[in-house]
């Protein structure tokens, strides 16, 4: 092979060798990079996704019209006044007194404006037992939740004086405050508890404090650097809190995994009697290469989110891609330097019991997988049938998957009083708590034909059955814009409300506002936003799936120069994702075992989760796959038979794969304990998939399939031989050979 070809193929070995030789320089460069990234990111500040502009379709058009007009829509609040029994009516003196008391109380806080009486706006229910007092919060709607407490207290005081009535407040500001109070610390607790959990598992895996701290240290510094980079990048592509949380999850998972792979191999080579320098060279050329292949594959998978056209998904994809890239670079550069600096001190802080157990016969997982593999390799056909059959059975429920944006009661259950208020408002005034909003823009909003069209739209919206009213119109004369608020029949039933939204968009609007030249009338609101998001997401599924699968296949083909391995890696990963879908549907849609995770009565999977899970899981699954197959290929190149190579590769990686999987499952399971059902679904789906991937897939199905294929595992058609050769001699013997010098410094891995 030529020198140029060898340089490319020995990238991981060369990076590790340089870092080990220039230890302080490598550590200093990494520290400088992290500090600079954090400093520049902090100075630049982070630009977050505008939630209204981040949505597609008419929702985006409406948001753009409002933004261009310079109109700041206030946060609207509603106070429900409702008789607790059938005796009191809205026309009774006691009821009227309560309405007046509420209006006076909220007005006196000085935090509200435009307080309206239900007797003026006709917001009285058909049965006469419920009425709505409506008003807007002063100031910026984004911060209204921080100022709504005095208003909530004022309403609560009125409730105490009218015990025969139910007096409750709901709206954008009050919901924001309630959720922040109830769940604001939820994510932080989960994120903070993930690090100690990972550290505890690593202590058990390594039996030494210093060795356990290294992976956590690498993951944390990679996350810190990425936070800074997110601030810089957000000025080109806005970021979000959700993207930040996903980045933390992915960063901790891959950062710990990559370091774990590298450190375990270095320790293994030293325990085999190699000197520290040789052990580092072997680890760099083998695990280091596996980390690069895996990292690039994960980055490609995360890049799939950039094709959705949804700002939130694009932010999550880019943030995840960056943290994986940073963790990958750190693993093959600063980690060898730290290991070279520490030497045998990496064993400091030993835990005696764990060390003694290792000396007495290795860890229990290796013995377990040795026994499993003996049966798998003896009966590969039965193993494939049983394992694949089990996975397909688990996947089967996914065929009937129902996705939707979860309603308030689905998301939070009865854990919050405001959810009950939301349901009461929707029962009494269908759609009243989340009306459709028609943003009407005209050359002259007060022109007779425009005013006539608005009046006709208002009338036909009710006559069509899409709304029971009252339909409210707010004019902004100076901007020539009108807001039309239409409560949709269906309320919290998003399917039914969605049908009525289509009725407004496809029937009522064309017959009224659509007849006037120069009038734009996009329809937005909570239901419209949900529908537009779902439509955009549905259109993105095929291109995202195709992009991720095709590029992952190409990377596997180039990295292992085997058509068979490329195909089996894709099929096995798809099986893993399918099983995760099946578990999600079984638990959250059908309710099988839902009580175990606190998910009773959800009945659906949140819309964004299937695509999100596919991208994340497809990427993370490659960690294990690349690591295990690389070890099998290495053993095969050293002259072992395929069956012996499979056994050696799986057994020697069992401990590290198990440790990595346990960490991932534990971290994801923490998110499965959160109160929000969307986060619970994400945590359960990720944890279940990783567990299946590390056990059934890597421990049974992969070795069984490879055993059946035999020498065909390494098949590459002649017409593909022209492809770039990204493989290299991964055997320890090759890494341990005396290095050559070529005038540019020492070359490793050749």
């Amino acid at each position: 092979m030529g020198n140029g070809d060898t340089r490319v193929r020995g990238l991981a070995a060369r990076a590790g060798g340089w870092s080990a030789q220039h230890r302080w320089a490598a550590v200093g460069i990494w520290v400088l990079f992290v500090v600079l990234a954090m400093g520049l990111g902090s100075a630049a500040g982070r630009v977050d996704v505008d939630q209204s502009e981040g949505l597609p379709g008419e929702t985006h058009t409406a948001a753009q019209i409002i933004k261009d007009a310079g109109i700041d829509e206030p946060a609207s609040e509603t106070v429900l006044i409702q008789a607790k029994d059938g005796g009191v009516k809205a026309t009774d003196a006691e009821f009227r007194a309560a309405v007046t008391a509420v209006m006076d109380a909220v007005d006196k806080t000085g935090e509200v404006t435009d307080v309206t009486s239900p007797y003026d706006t006709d917001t009285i229910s058909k049965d006469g037992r419920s009425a709505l007092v409506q008003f807007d919060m002063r100031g910026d709607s984004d911060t209204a939740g921080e100022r709504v407490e005095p208003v909530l207290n004022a309403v609560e005081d009125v409730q105490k004086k009218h015990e025969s009535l139910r007096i409750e407040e709901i709206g954008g500001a009050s919901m924001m405050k309630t959720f922040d109070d109830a769940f604001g610390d939820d994510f932080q607790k989960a994120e903070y508890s993930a690090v100690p959990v990972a550290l505890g598992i690593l202590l058990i895996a390594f039996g030494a404090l210093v060795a356990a701290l290294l992976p956590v240290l690498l993951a944390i510094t990679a996350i810190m650097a990425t936070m800074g980079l997110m601030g810089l990048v957000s000025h080109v592509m806005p970021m979000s809190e959700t993207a930040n949380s996903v980045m933390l999850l992915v960063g901790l998972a891959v950062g710990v995994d990559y370091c774990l792979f590298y450190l375990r191999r270095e320790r293994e080579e030293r325990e085999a009697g190699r000197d520290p320098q040789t052990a580092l060279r072997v680890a760099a050329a083998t695990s280091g290469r596996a980390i690069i292949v895996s990292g690039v594959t994960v980055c490609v998978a995360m890049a799939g989110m950039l094709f959705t056209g949804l700002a939130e998904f694009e932010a999550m994809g880019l943030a995840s891609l960056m943290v994986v890239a940073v963790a990958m670079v750190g693993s093959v550069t600063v980690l060898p330097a730290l290991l070279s600096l520490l030497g045998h001190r990496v064993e400091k802080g030993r835990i005696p019991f764990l060390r003694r157990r290792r000396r007495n016969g290795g860890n229990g997982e290796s013995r377990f997988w040795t026994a499993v593999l003996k049966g798998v390799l003896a009966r590969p056909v039965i193993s494939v049938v049983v394992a694949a059959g089990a996975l397909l059975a688990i996947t089967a429920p996914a065929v009937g998957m129902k996705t939707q944006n979860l309603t308030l009661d689905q998301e939070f259950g009865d854990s919050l009083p405001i959810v009950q208020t939301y349901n009461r408002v929707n029962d009494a005034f269908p759609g009243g708590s989340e009306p459709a909003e028609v943003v009407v823009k005209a050359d002259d909003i007060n022109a007779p034909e425009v005013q006539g069209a608005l009046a006709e739209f208002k009338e036909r919206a009710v006559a069509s059955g899409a709304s029971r009213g009252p339909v409210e119109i707010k004019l902004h004369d100076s901007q020539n814009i009108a807001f039309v608020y239409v409560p949709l029949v269906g309320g919290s039933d998003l399917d039914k409300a969605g049908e009525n939204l289509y009725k407004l968009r496809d029937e009522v609007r064309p017959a009224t506002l659509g007849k006037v030249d120069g009038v734009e009338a996009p329809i937005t609101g909570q239901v419209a936003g949900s529908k537009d998001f779902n439509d955009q997401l549905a259109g993105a599924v095929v291109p995202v799936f195709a992009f991720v699968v095709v590029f992952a296949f190409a990377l596997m083909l180039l990295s292992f120069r085997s058509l068979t391995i490329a195909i089996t890696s894709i099929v096995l990963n798809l099986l893993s994702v399918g099983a995760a879908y099946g578990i999600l549907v079984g638990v959250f849609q059908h309710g099988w075992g839902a009580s175990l995770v606190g998910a009773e009565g959800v009945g659906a999977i949140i819309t964004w989760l299937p695509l999100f899970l596919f991208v994340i899981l497809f990427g993370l699954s490659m960690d294990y796959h690349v690591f295990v197959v690389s070890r099998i290929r290495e053993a095969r190149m050293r002259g072992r038979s395929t069956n012996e190579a499979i056994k050696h590769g799986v057994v020697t990686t069992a401990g590290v794969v198990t440790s990595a999987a346990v960490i991932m499952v534990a971290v994801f399971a923490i998110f499965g304990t959160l109160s929000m059902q969307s986060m619970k679904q994400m945590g359960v789906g990720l944890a279940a998939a990783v567990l299946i991937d590390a056990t059934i897939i890597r421990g049974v199905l992969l070795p069984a399939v490879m055993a059946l294929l035999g020498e065909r595992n390494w098949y590459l058609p002649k017409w593909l031989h022209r492809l770039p050769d990204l493989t290299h001699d991964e055997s320890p013997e090759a890494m341990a050979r005396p290095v050559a010098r070529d005038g540019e410094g020492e070359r490793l891995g050749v």
Side-chain angles (χ1 to χ4, degrees):
M1 302 249 176
N3 284 353
D5 187 41
T6 304
R7 287 180 195 280
V8 174
R9 296 189 296 158
L11 178 62
R14 291 168 63 80
W18 185 91
S19 297
Q21 289 178 339
H22 307 85
R23 301 175 295 189
W24 288 111
V27 173
I29 291 169
W30 178 256
V31 172
L32 182 63
F33 164 66
V34 174
V35 171
L36 276 177
M38 291 180 65
L40 292 172
S42 178
R46 193 180 78 189
V47 178
D48 280 353
V49 171
D50 184 321
Q51 294 301 326
S52 58
E53 292 185 10
L55 292 172
E58 291 192 27
T59 307
H60 173 76
T61 306
Q64 197 61 48
I65 290 173
I66 294 169
K67 182 179 179 180
D68 292 344
I71 299 173
D72 292 323
E73 283 195 279
S76 298
E77 290 288 296
T78 295
V79 177
L80 170 69
I81 304 170
Q82 188 176 68
K84 290 183 178 179
D85 55 52
V88 182
K89 296 286 187 179
T91 52
D92 294 346
E94 181 185 357
F95 202 105
R96 287 180 176 275
V99 169
T100 302
V102 167
M103 294 178 66
D104 290 344
V106 299
D107 193 45
K108 285 177 182 176
T109 64
E111 298 287 350
V112 308
T113 183
D114 294 336
V115 184
T116 59
S117 167
Y119 303 109
D120 296 333
T121 57
D122 194 29
T123 48
I124 298 172
S125 63
K126 285 192 172 183
D127 63 7
R129 295 179 57 248
S130 307
L132 302 178
V133 172
Q134 296 170 310
F135 53 88
D136 295 330
M137 293 294 298
R138 294 184 185 276
D140 186 357
S141 60
D142 291 337
T143 60
E146 300 168 12
R147 303 186 306 275
V148 76
E149 187 169 3
V151 184
L152 291 168
N153 292 338
V155 171
E156 190 177 342
D157 288 341
V158 177
Q159 168 68 92
K160 292 175 182 176
K161 297 172 183 175
H162 296 81
E163 294 183 358
S164 64
L165 300 172
R166 184 179 287 113
I167 302 175
E168 302 168 335
E169 182 176 346
I170 191 171
S174 52
M175 284 196 287
M176 192 186 308
K177 174 176 169 46
T178 302
F179 298 155
D180 285 346
D181 290 347
F183 307 110
D185 297 332
D186 230 6
F187 291 106
Q188 285 189 344
K189 288 176 183 175
E191 290 161 1
Y192 291 152
S193 59
V195 172
V197 165
L199 182 58
I201 296 167
L202 286 168
L203 275 172
I204 297 171
F206 285 118
L209 180 61
V210 174
L213 281 171
L214 278 180
V216 175
L217 183 64
L218 176 75
I220 290 175
T221 53
I223 288 169
M224 290 165 64
T226 306
M227 282 182 175
L229 295 176
M230 285 174 67
L232 294 173
V233 171
S234 70
H235 293 270
V236 178
M237 180 180 288
M239 291 290 150
S240 69
E241 280 301 320
T242 305
N244 196 56
S245 293
V246 171
M247 184 275 293
L248 285 166
L249 264 178
V250 174
L252 186 61
V254 300
V256 168
D257 274 9
Y258 292 164
C259 192
L260 189 60
F261 294 164
Y262 205 111
L263 185 54
R264 262 294 179 85
R265 184 58 185 263
E266 191 268 349
R267 289 183 75 188
E268 183 184 321
E269 294 301 325
R270 282 200 290 114
E271 288 172 2
R274 302 189 187 278
D275 62 84
Q277 292 77 15
T278 303
L280 265 178
R281 279 202 292 271
V282 174
T286 53
S287 290
R289 175 183 177 274
I291 287 167
I292 290 178
V293 174
S294 172
V296 172
T297 309
V298 175
C299 286
V300 166
M302 301 304 176
M305 291 197 216
L306 301 178
F307 293 87
T308 59
L310 295 164
E312 190 73 71
F313 263 73
E314 291 171 352
M316 288 191 290
L318 188 56
S320 301
L321 186 156
M322 287 192 297
V323 78
V324 171
V326 171
M328 176 182 68
V329 171
S331 297
V332 297
T333 56
V334 72
L335 182 58
L338 289 172
L339 289 174
S340 181
L341 279 169
L342 289 169
H344 290 290
R345 286 170 292 185
V346 76
E347 301 290 343
K348 288 286 186 183
R350 292 180 178 179
I351 301 172
F353 170 75
L354 293 175
R355 295 296 302 177
R356 192 161 52 245
R357 189 183 69 175
R358 200 175 343 267
R359 288 195 197 99
N360 290 337
N363 60 51
E365 289 129 5
S366 293
R367 288 197 300 270
F368 170 76
W369 285 115
T370 300
V372 170
L373 272 176
K374 185 177 180 181
V376 168
L377 297 180
R379 299 176 180 82
V381 175
I382 295 175
S383 299
V384 168
V385 171
V386 172
L391 288 175
L392 289 173
I394 295 172
T395 303
V399 175
M401 182 186 289
K402 175 187 177 184
T403 60
Q404 67 176 56
N405 283 349
L406 301 183
T407 59
L408 201 63
D409 53 342
Q410 285 177 313
E411 184 73 270
F412 298 102
D414 295 327
S415 59
L416 296 178
I418 204 166
V419 175
Q420 298 167 23
T421 304
Y422 175 84
N423 289 332
R424 290 187 188 110
V425 171
N426 268 313
D427 290 342
F429 305 90
S433 58
E434 296 285 357
E437 180 181 353
V438 189
V439 180
V440 182
K441 179 184 178 183
D443 296 330
D444 180 5
I445 201 68
N446 288 307
E449 63 271 21
V450 177
Q451 287 294 311
L454 282 170
E456 188 181 359
F457 180 91
K458 180 177 179 179
E459 180 182 337
R460 293 189 68 156
V462 177
S464 69
S467 174
R468 294 178 190 155
V471 177
E472 182 185 0
I473 299 176
K474 282 188 179 180
L475 294 176
H476 293 266
D477 296 330
S478 58
Q479 291 95 347
N480 285 311
I481 285 176
F483 293 150
V484 184
Y485 299 98
V486 186
L488 293 171
V489 172
S492 59
D493 183 344
L494 293 183
D495 289 337
K496 190 172 182 181
E499 292 174 6
N500 288 309
L501 171 70
Y502 288 134
K503 196 176 288 186
L504 284 184
R505 284 179 168 178
D506 299 339
E507 298 175 16
V508 178
R509 179 176 57 187
T512 54
L513 296 166
K515 291 182 177 180
V516 183
D517 292 336
V519 169
E520 284 186 80
I523 301 178
T524 183
Q526 193 267 341
V527 176
S530 174
K531 290 294 180 184
D532 291 344
F533 178 87
N534 292 351
D535 291 345
Q536 177 73 20
L537 198 60
V541 168
V542 173
V544 170
F545 270 57
F547 172 83
V548 172
V549 169
V550 169
F551 272 81
F553 174 83
L555 282 168
M556 290 296 100
L557 184 63
L558 294 174
S559 299
F560 291 101
R561 287 187 70 79
S562 166
L563 183 63
T564 309
I565 286 177
I567 292 172
T568 54
S569 66
I570 297 299
V571 172
L572 292 178
N573 278 1
L574 289 176
L575 267 177
S576 179
V577 173
Y581 286 172
I583 289 171
L584 277 176
V585 172
V587 174
F588 293 95
Q589 187 172 317
H590 299 315
W592 303 335
S595 60
L596 299 176
V597 293
E600 301 94 326
V602 179
I605 308 301
I606 193 162
T607 306
W608 55 265
L609 190 60
L611 187 60
F612 172 82
L613 276 184
F614 171 78
V615 172
I616 296 290
L617 291 175
F618 210 89
L620 295 182
S621 293
M622 283 298 178
D623 273 357
Y624 304 145
H625 193 84
V626 170
F627 189 62
V628 176
V629 175
S630 291
R631 200 62 184 269
I632 294 172
R633 182 178 181 275
E634 176 189 323
R636 183 69 184 86
M637 290 178 66
R638 292 174 65 184
R640 294 176 185 250
S641 68
T642 296
N643 265 25
E644 289 174 344
I646 292 167
K647 183 178 179 181
H648 174 79
V650 174
V651 169
T652 53
T653 58
V656 67
V657 168
T658 301
S659 299
V662 169
I663 290 169
M664 276 202 196
V665 170
V667 170
F668 294 146
I670 291 170
F671 280 76
T673 65
L674 300 185
S675 303
M676 295 174 64
Q677 289 297 328
S678 53
M679 293 298 102
K680 195 184 292 290
Q681 290 183 4
M682 182 185 78
V684 170
L686 286 169
V690 169
L691 185 61
I692 288 171
D693 196 74
T695 53
I696 299 176
I697 298 285
R698 308 304 158 204
V700 179
L701 202 50
L702 173 64
V705 169
M706 291 188 76
L708 283 175
L709 290 170
E711 291 305 307
R712 286 168 292 185
N713 281 298
W714 322 113
Y715 170 70
L716 184 72
K718 288 183 179 179
W719 59 275
L720 289 177
H721 284 190
R722 296 178 182 177
L723 291 173
D725 187 353
L726 300 185
T727 63
H728 68 282
D729 188 351
E730 297 161 319
S731 67
E733 285 72 13
M735 297 307 104
R737 287 200 304 261
V739 294
R741 294 185 180 275
D742 64 357
E744 291 182 347
E746 196 169 42
R747 293 198 295 133
L748 299 171
V750 298

